[in-house]
Amino acid sequence: MLEGKNVVLAVTGSIAAYKIANLASMLKKQKCKVTVMMTKNATNFINPITFETLTGNKCLVDTFDRNFQYSVEHVSLAKETDVVLVAPASANVIAKLAHGIADDMLTTTILACECKKIVAPAMNTHMYHNPIVQDNLKLLEKYGMEVIKPDYGYLACGDIGDGKMPSEETLLSYIEREIGREKDLAGKKVLITAGPTREALDPVRFISNHSTGKMGYALARAAMLRGASVTLVSGPVSLAKPLFVNTIDVVSAQEMYEAVIERAKEQDIFIMAAAVADYTPKEQAAEKMKKRDGELSMELCRTRDILQTVGDNHREGQFLCGFSMETENLIENSRAKLLKKHADMIAANSLRTEGAGFGTDTNIVTLITADTCEELPLLSKEETAHAILDKILVKYKK
């Protein structure tokens, strides 16, 4: 995702500096160029050699270091950088950046950069809440920098509060969102459904299915990376909520129906990846049903069809993609669904195909529209998500 990109990690004097070694390694695994700059105080927490070993590039500390290729280093670095992450960002460096003070390699380079700058404060909770620090953070945002809110937790000083730098995975997500993908969905509102629904029999038991939500969550993250404003309506899953996505948790098919229909008018693209229950108990027992001799029968009634409702009512300029999980006659059944539901595209897969189905990290889907039928190869669900979005963009623009 980040191959060929240039990332500058600006490390300041905080105990959280040790986390950036792992972040630098994570970035290198994505084949991007990583340059680390450090304040002199930061070198008291972690040795520059660590970063040079991990990145393969010289770690820059001294503005007047003569041991590099001749150029005005802070200017040449600033020109080629795609994003700067200041992490951990001390109160001292935050103040310098807010007021244009450039007295070392790190602050000088950042002031020369025209790319996006992201700042992750890390400090004692009382220092973080000092009104001077808060005013400086607001100044950074005023000048176009993005400030990552620190986590709440146990701090190195022994206090408990907010001021803890977020995890390396979170920091990486901010970088990926900024430069990971072309923003070809910028300005679009995308609603995605994911996961199963649960239809309660009593306070203990429910009817559901094997959906894990992985495909829908991959679609939500992919659309976010491409610049869309994403709403994810999710049934009960064990997945972490994707960052930068508005996630709405629901349980039953009726709750999912209401969440989708309430937001339908404002959307540009719908991707219905959830495995919604087709039937729900006509009556739900108020108390746990006890075992008894003989058979148990229960009357079920149809749930409200979300895809059909959106298909019947979506306006010109909205695009509707449904999903179809089949065990036989994949193309025929999916094309019939496309027509019946008035969808623009169906992403179809077969439970019988190895590498597809519930709970896997891969998928094999066939994308069906009114005039095309394209079978995708075995891909990761992330790759499948981007392939689906590619197809939607092609059809959406026509």
Side-chain angles (χ1 to χ4, degrees), residues 63-335:
T63 306
F64 301 104
D65 182 0
R66 306 308 304 160
N67 296 315
F68 51 72
Q69 181 180 353
Y70 178 73
S71 64
V72 183
E73 188 73 3
H74 67 279
V75 174
S76 60
L77 182 61
K79 287 180 178 178
E80 68 178 23
T81 299
D82 294 302
V83 67
V84 174
L85 173 67
V86 187
S90 66
N92 182 51
V93 166
I94 287 169
K96 288 181 180 181
L97 294 176
H99 295 281
I101 297 172
D103 60 357
D104 60 9
M105 174 64 85
L106 185 147
T107 52
T108 302
T109 304
I110 293 174
L111 279 180
C113 284
E114 294 184 343
C115 64
K116 180 67 175 283
K117 293 173 275 287
I118 305 170
V119 179
M123 63 194 76
N124 168 268
T125 188
H126 303 295
M127 184 182 294
Y128 173 69
H129 285 288
N130 186 296
I132 299 173
V133 174
Q134 289 298 309
D135 283 348
N136 287 335
L137 291 171
K138 290 174 184 175
L139 276 174
L140 295 185
E141 292 177 329
K142 173 186 174 183
Y143 294 129
M145 300 188 196
E146 182 169 13
V147 176
I148 303 175
K149 186 177 180 181
D151 286 347
Y152 183 96
Y154 182 83
L155 306 176
C157 61
D159 288 343
I160 296 176
D162 43 359
K164 182 178 180 180
M165 191 171 74
S167 69
E168 302 92 301
E169 290 78 12
T170 297
L171 298 178
L172 177 62
S173 293
Y174 275 83
I175 294 172
E176 289 176 334
R177 180 186 63 160
E178 183 61 30
I179 62 172
R181 289 279 177 173
E182 179 188 354
K183 300 300 184 280
D184 50 8
L185 282 173
K188 300 300 180 185
K189 293 183 177 181
V190 179
L191 188 147
I192 298 167
T193 64
T197 62
R198 292 177 179 175
E199 309 307 312
L201 303 172
D202 62 21
V204 177
R205 305 175 181 88
F206 55 83
I207 300 171
S208 191
N209 56 63
H210 296 295
S211 174
T212 60
K214 288 183 177 181
M215 190 66 248
Y217 274 59
L219 281 160
R221 185 169 185 272
M224 174 275 296
L225 288 172
R226 295 169 77 148
S229 174
V230 182
T231 298
L232 174 64
V233 181
S234 174
V237 298
S238 59
L239 303 172
K241 288 181 171 59
L243 291 176
F244 321 116
V245 168
N246 177 29
T247 302
I248 299 164
D249 293 317
V250 299
V251 176
S252 68
Q254 180 62 25
E255 289 174 354
M256 184 171 285
Y257 177 92
E258 292 172 358
V260 171
I261 300 307
E262 180 183 341
R263 296 162 177 83
K265 289 184 179 180
E266 64 194 52
Q267 306 304 318
D268 297 299
I269 297 170
F270 299 88
I271 307 177
M272 303 301 191
V276 184
D278 293 323
Y279 294 90
T280 189
K282 189 172 184 179
E283 295 182 2
Q284 177 186 337
E287 305 295 339
K288 178 184 175 183
M289 295 184 294
K290 298 297 184 180
K291 287 188 294 185
R292 56 191 179 190
D293 294 336
E295 297 179 351
L296 173 68
S297 61
M298 180 171 294
E299 190 173 358
L300 302 177
C301 59
R302 282 294 306 269
T303 57
R304 302 180 78 174
D305 193 320
I306 302 172
L307 183 61
Q308 186 74 66
T309 302
V310 174
D312 288 344
N313 295 282
H314 75 298
R315 56 176 166 75
E316 186 177 353
Q318 289 182 317
F319 190 95
L320 175 59
C321 173
F323 267 67
S324 174
M325 170 70 75
E326 301 292 342
T327 58
E328 60 180 355
N329 302 323
L330 177 71
I331 305 301
E332 295 85 347
N333 289 340
S334 299
R335 190 168 290 283

